[in-house]
Amino acid sequence: MMKRPLILCLAGIALLAALPFLLSAGLLNAAIQMLIAALFASAYNLLCGQAGMLSFGHAAYFGVGAFATVHAMNAIGGAGLLPTPLMPLAGAVAGLAFGGIAGWFATQRSGTYFAMITLAIAELVHSLAPHLKGIFGGEAGMSTMRMPSLGLDFGSITQVYYLTLAWVLLSMALLYLYTRTPLGRLTLGLRENSHRLRFLGYHVHGIATLVFALSAMFSGIAGSLQAISNESANYVVFDPALSAAAVLNTYIGGVQVFLGPALGAALMTFFGYAASDLTRSWLLYQGIVFVLVMMFMPAGLSGLPGLASRLCERHGAARMLPVFLMAAGAAAALAAGTVFVVEMLQRLFSQEYRSMLRLDPAAPWPPVELLGHAWQAGAVATWAVPALLLAAGALLAWGCRRGMAACETSVSSAPRGGHAAKEIA
């Protein structure tokens, strides 16, 4: 009988394979970016989540893989050094080589010093890239073209999607198999107690360097897929924001579950794709989500199903259902109230709105268009809406907390009663 996780994985793969028949070209391109972000976050999690080494500069290896692929695609008069389906191998080799060198230096130290070294390496590459025109093409970057191979012209977004999907699934499978190997167990040992590994006779620096290089290799594959998709690369791929995104996506998804970083990266990439067209404050929302997850859900979004399952086993599904509903209602109300306030303030402090005020300072403030309605900025009713939403959310959150406290109290008192009954008997 097939295990539930395997069934869910197969169902997920089948859904991913069917996406080209379900989505438009624009959404399919967003799906490609989600797959690439998922692979990049999973590669980063190998170093950060499993080995316990927090890196602030993983965009360096993503970018090296992207530029190595562009050079490989332009080699031999534009014919390509490798067939297009094998081009990610160029990114893998470049990421592995550069990651091995950088990792040897970075893993000489641990903790904060390790993080600062990785940040310094990434900043160094980011600063040098615009000036090394022969390698990185200067500020304009480098362009290329996907060449036909194996009877495919790779001119359609669908073919690029399936190429990306194949490499992401292969890489994710290799990353998972790595966790089942003795080296994967030693990787966890680096996180838990590196001093004990050294005491047992293992070469801790060598293991850490190897893990760093492997993480950089899969990051290079993600960068390679990005270059193939865009048919170009520029020094922006070394931007610190990309390194920060890897950290945020990994922890939002959850480092304790293998697919947690991939889930977080996919969700946040889609969120950026959808929200960036709707609001200028989408990065603020992303930051708020990260802070809330770190404060209240340290296990990440992927830990929610397990938490809900454990609570249902401990207290019973019927008793936990009202608590879950109150938690969902509190989250929705608080989110709606926060979005209303942020969007109103963003429009009120925008350059366009202030320009309208300067045209006629004596005139009343113009209404603000939000959610298909014109809101008067100075009206009490306008600000009463978010106030009521936030108050309702706070009330539901308080009720959820009280419900959880009541459940815990009943559970903690039950064993004492049962024990006393046994003593009387």
Side-chain angles (χ1 to χ4, degrees):
M1 184 176 179
M2 298 176 65
K3 295 182 179 180
R4 183 183 300 177
L6 180 59
I7 295 176
L8 292 176
C9 286
L10 292 176
I13 293 173
L15 177 61
L16 290 173
L19 285 185
F21 304 100
L22 304 174
L23 303 179
S24 63
L27 290 177
L28 193 61
N29 184 65
I32 292 175
Q33 301 305 314
M34 292 167 63
L35 288 172
I36 294 172
L39 175 57
F40 186 33
S42 297
Y44 177 78
N45 189 53
L46 172 62
L47 181 68
C48 179
Q50 297 182 39
M53 294 185 282
L54 180 63
S55 170
F56 288 147
H58 239 53
Y61 318 105
F62 182 93
V64 165
F67 276 102
T69 302
V70 170
H71 283 291
M73 294 173 73
N74 289 335
I76 315 177
L81 187 65
L82 296 167
T84 298
L86 300 181
M87 279 298 170
L89 292 176
V93 172
L96 180 66
F98 185 55
I101 297 171
W104 189 87
F105 288 101
T107 53
Q108 298 281 350
R109 296 292 182 266
S110 60
T112 304
Y113 301 103
F114 169 83
M116 292 300 101
I117 292 172
T118 60
L119 177 61
I121 293 173
E123 288 291 343
L124 178 64
V125 177
H126 181 253
S127 300
L128 290 177
H131 305 289
L132 300 178
K133 295 184 179 181
I135 301 177
F136 302 112
E139 294 186 359
M142 303 181 67
S143 60
T144 184
M145 182 177 295
R146 297 185 292 265
M147 299 302 293
S149 179
L150 303 179
L152 302 173
D153 59 8
F154 294 101
S156 68
I157 191 69
T158 300
Q159 294 180 6
V160 176
Y161 172 82
Y162 280 121
L163 174 62
T164 304
L165 177 62
W167 272 99
V168 169
L169 291 178
L170 175 62
S171 300
M172 296 293 287
L174 292 176
L175 283 169
Y176 178 76
L177 292 175
Y178 172 85
T179 64
R180 318 304 291 180
T181 63
L183 181 58
R185 302 299 184 186
L186 289 177
T187 302
L188 296 177
L190 289 176
R191 181 189 67 190
E192 300 298 332
N193 196 334
S194 60
H195 296 291
R196 183 169 180 82
L197 287 182
R198 187 176 290 107
F199 176 78
L200 293 174
Y202 291 102
H203 192 270
V204 172
H205 180 233
I207 297 174
T209 302
L210 179 58
V211 173
F212 194 105
L214 290 175
S215 177
M217 180 184 75
F218 286 103
S219 299
I221 294 176
S224 179
L225 294 172
Q226 183 74 51
I228 294 173
S229 174
N230 294 343
E231 294 185 304
S232 64
N234 56 49
Y235 79 102
V236 176
V237 294
F238 296 114
D239 194 277
L242 188 59
S243 297
V247 179
L248 266 64
N249 293 340
T250 300
Y251 279 97
I252 287 174
V255 298
Q256 299 178 4
V257 179
F258 176 75
L259 290 177
L263 173 65
L267 290 178
M268 297 313 295
T269 302
F270 179 77
F271 173 79
Y273 177 85
S276 60
D277 292 335
L278 300 175
T279 175
R280 300 176 184 177
S281 305
W282 67 276
L283 286 175
L284 174 62
Y285 298 133
Q286 188 180 51
I288 292 174
V289 170
F290 178 72
V291 171
L292 293 177
V293 168
M294 290 297 96
M295 289 181 62
F296 302 107
M297 293 181 290
L301 298 178
S302 61
L304 286 179
L307 176 62
S309 177
R310 290 191 298 270
L311 289 174
C312 289
E313 291 178 1
R314 181 177 174 85
H315 305 293
R319 194 165 189 179
M320 290 307 302
L321 181 60
V323 177
F324 291 157
L325 291 176
M326 283 190 291
L334 292 172
T338 302
V339 169
F340 192 100
V341 172
V342 170
E343 293 303 314
M344 282 293 293
L345 293 178
Q346 186 271 321
R347 285 161 172 77
L348 289 174
F349 287 101
S350 65
Q351 186 66 36
E352 297 84 353
Y353 194 84
R354 285 184 292 174
S355 299
M356 289 190 295
L357 291 179
R358 283 194 292 266
L359 291 176
D360 189 1
W365 285 15
V368 177
E369 289 290 336
L370 180 64
L371 302 175
H373 182 75
W375 303 88
Q376 297 295 332
V380 175
T382 297
W383 300 103
V385 172
L388 290 174
L389 287 171
L390 293 173
L395 182 62
L396 287 171
W398 178 80
C400 177
R401 188 172 181 177
R402 289 293 301 271
M404 281 300 305
C407 291
E408 292 295 338
T409 301
S410 63
V411 169
S412 62
S413 61
R416 290 196 296 270
H419 184 64
K422 288 182 180 179
E423 290 181 345
I424 294 174

